[in-house]
Amino acid sequence: MAEQQEKIRVTCPSCFKRFEVSAKFAGREGPCPSCKKPIKIPELDEQVVLREREEFGGVKSASGKLVFKPVAREDTKFSPVVLGVVLASTIAAFAIAYFIGASTENKDSLTMVVAAGSILVAIPICWSGYWFLRDDEFEPYMGQELWMRVLVCSVAYAAIWGLYALLISYWDLSDNLNEYLPYFVITAAVCLVMGGFAAAGSFDIQPLSGFLHFSFYLLVTLLLRLTMGLSAYYVYWWN
């Protein structure tokens, strides 16, 4: 029995018709059997070999031909673990804030507590927010690299709060709200933009997603301030 000749798989660049030719024609030019346009047969070491293995997501049709299916992607945005961390952290934070506020008569003494809390609260918010807002087209950050980015973002969020407090400390909003309102609005807008870009830079997410990330942090911290009996907009860390 004659030995079977090696074949080369060829795809016409004009009509995309696929066919096989004998290996003896490797490197030669000739007309496509379908559209008759000239094509060059690749060398043996130039052809791309596709392994028809079922482990790669392929299934066999009724005729025995391999049919490829798209690989199903798992949605990683929603996770019971992430949701549990968010709920547990939120309940714990508000419980601690209520206890501190109820047991402290002199709110001026809460300066360091508020400063430290702005970082501690940011850590679970930054971590959980990343999993909800990250871009699914990219591999997620994991392990030490993720926690480093969480810490950087958390410190940035707290620093923005500090900058905001420093800037509005020059204005008496309680008595001159109408006079200083434009400055207050501009300061708040600048801090929002800074927070959005801090999140976007830390986690490689879209600026809009970063803005939502930072806005959620602001919402939680403002609610915590109210729980402690502090002003929601008059955000002083000192008086």
Side-chain angles (χ1 to χ4, degrees):
M1 181 179 294
E3 184 178 354
Q4 185 177 3
Q5 281 191 326
E6 187 175 359
K7 300 289 186 180
I8 299 177
R9 293 183 178 181
V10 182
T11 301
C12 176
S14 300
C15 66
F16 303 104
K17 181 74 174 181
R18 295 181 180 180
F19 56 93
E20 292 182 346
V21 298
S22 175
K24 66 181 182 180
F25 296 109
R28 299 184 184 181
E29 292 187 0
C32 170
S34 177
C35 67
K36 307 304 180 184
K37 292 186 178 180
I39 58 174
K40 181 179 180 181
I41 308 301
E43 300 286 351
L44 288 176
D45 57 352
E46 293 178 349
Q47 64 175 337
V48 178
V49 179
L50 298 177
R51 299 180 179 229
E52 298 182 346
R53 296 181 59 184
E54 297 182 36
E55 298 91 64
F56 292 154
V59 294
K60 292 291 184 71
S61 65
S63 62
K65 188 175 182 179
L66 190 65
V67 178
F68 288 97
K69 300 188 303 180
V71 178
R73 297 186 58 181
E74 182 181 356
D75 188 3
T76 58
K77 283 201 169 185
F78 177 79
S79 168
V81 176
V82 174
L83 181 61
V85 170
V86 172
L87 292 177
S89 301
T90 301
I91 294 174
F94 278 94
I96 295 173
Y98 177 79
F99 175 77
I100 293 176
S103 60
T104 306
E105 294 184 1
N106 182 13
K107 304 301 182 182
D108 296 344
S109 63
L110 297 178
T111 299
M112 296 307 299
V113 174
V114 173
S118 63
I119 298 179
L120 295 178
V121 170
I123 293 176
I125 291 177
C126 289
W127 178 79
S128 58
Y130 166 70
W131 290 107
F132 283 98
L133 297 173
R134 74 176 187 85
D135 192 341
D136 287 339
E137 297 298 323
F138 300 99
E139 288 294 325
Y141 292 113
M142 302 291 289
Q144 183 178 359
E145 183 178 10
L146 173 60
W147 285 111
M148 287 298 297
R149 291 176 178 272
V150 166
L151 291 176
V152 169
C153 189
S154 300
V155 172
Y157 280 6
I160 293 171
W161 259 128
L163 176 63
Y164 172 78
L166 177 64
L167 292 175
I168 70 170
S169 65
Y170 295 105
W171 311 319
D172 188 358
L173 298 180
S174 59
D175 295 331
N176 303 293
L177 182 59
N178 293 331
E179 180 181 354
Y180 293 109
L181 182 59
Y183 302 101
F184 170 75
V185 172
I186 294 174
T187 301
V190 170
C191 289
L192 282 172
V193 173
M194 292 175 60
F197 277 101
S202 298
F203 299 116
D204 290 335
I205 57 179
Q206 296 295 326
L208 179 58
S209 297
F211 173 78
L212 295 175
H213 192 283
F214 183 62
S215 297
F216 181 71
Y217 167 76
L218 289 182
L219 176 62
V220 172
T221 51
L222 289 175
L223 291 176
L224 287 172
R225 287 184 61 85
L226 292 175
T227 304
M228 296 175 66
L230 302 175
S231 172
Y233 72 92
Y234 206 58
V235 191
Y236 285 4
W237 283 357
W238 56 85
N239 286 311

